[in-house]
Amino acid sequence: MKQGMKAGIVFLLLAFVTGCSEELQLTTTPIQNVEKIQVTANTLDVYCVTGICKFELSANMETQITVNMHYSDTKTFEKIEGVSVTGKMGSTVKVVDENTFEMALAGSDAISKIQVVDYYRN
């Protein structure tokens, strides 16, 4: 009897842990000068032809994302001058290199409004 109860408790714990795992869903909304946004797992490729663009991001759960900035398929940003984030996750932004930054998203579909500027913009 005790073994049956132990097995039942283990099953319930496993079901609880695996049953609660949700798939990450990122929502992207171009606002200004964004040609397209491609999402692959936790990485976004944002295409901004002018070098100054605005977009919104949100996620259904807390996550860390990487954003690569491009002018086109063949040309990336040369040097990110600044990333401005309106929302409670603004302090998490870290510029990684000339065309990439990382940041956290709060989850619960909380929207972060982002503006990115390339120093050598067109």
Side-chain angles (χ1 to χ4, degrees):
M1 181 70 174
K2 286 185 181 180
Q3 283 184 328
M5 286 185 68
K6 284 182 184 177
I9 290 171
V10 169
F11 174 77
L12 288 174
L13 287 173
L14 286 173
F16 177 74
V17 170
T18 58
C20 291
S21 63
E22 260 186 273
E23 188 174 316
L24 174 65
Q25 294 177 335
L26 293 174
T27 302
T28 63
T29 307
I31 302 296
Q32 183 179 16
N33 298 327
V34 176
E35 187 176 301
K36 64 181 175 179
I37 301 174
Q38 295 178 329
V39 179
T40 308
N42 288 29
T43 302
L44 285 79
D45 289 290
V46 178
Y47 294 82
C48 173
V49 294
T50 63
I52 301 175
C53 60
K54 295 180 184 178
F55 52 96
E56 293 179 344
L57 299 176
S58 65
N60 62 329
M61 64 179 66
E62 246 183 71
T63 190
Q64 184 76 19
I65 60 165
T66 301
V67 181
N68 302 306
M69 298 300 301
H70 306 267
Y71 284 102
S72 67
D73 288 333
T74 58
K75 184 178 179 186
T76 62
F77 272 32
E78 294 180 40
K79 179 182 178 185
I80 292 177
E81 180 177 350
V83 179
S84 173
V85 178
T86 303
K88 69 180 189 176
M89 302 311 278
S91 64
T92 68
V93 173
K94 177 185 172 192
V95 176
V96 177
D97 61 27
E98 61 276 348
N99 72 310
T100 303
F101 67 92
E102 296 176 340
M103 68 175 288
L105 294 176
S108 301
D109 295 316
I111 295 173
S112 292
K113 296 180 182 186
I114 300 161
Q115 177 175 299
V116 185
V117 179
D118 185 26
Y119 184 79
Y120 297 107
R121 61 192 169 272
N122 298 330

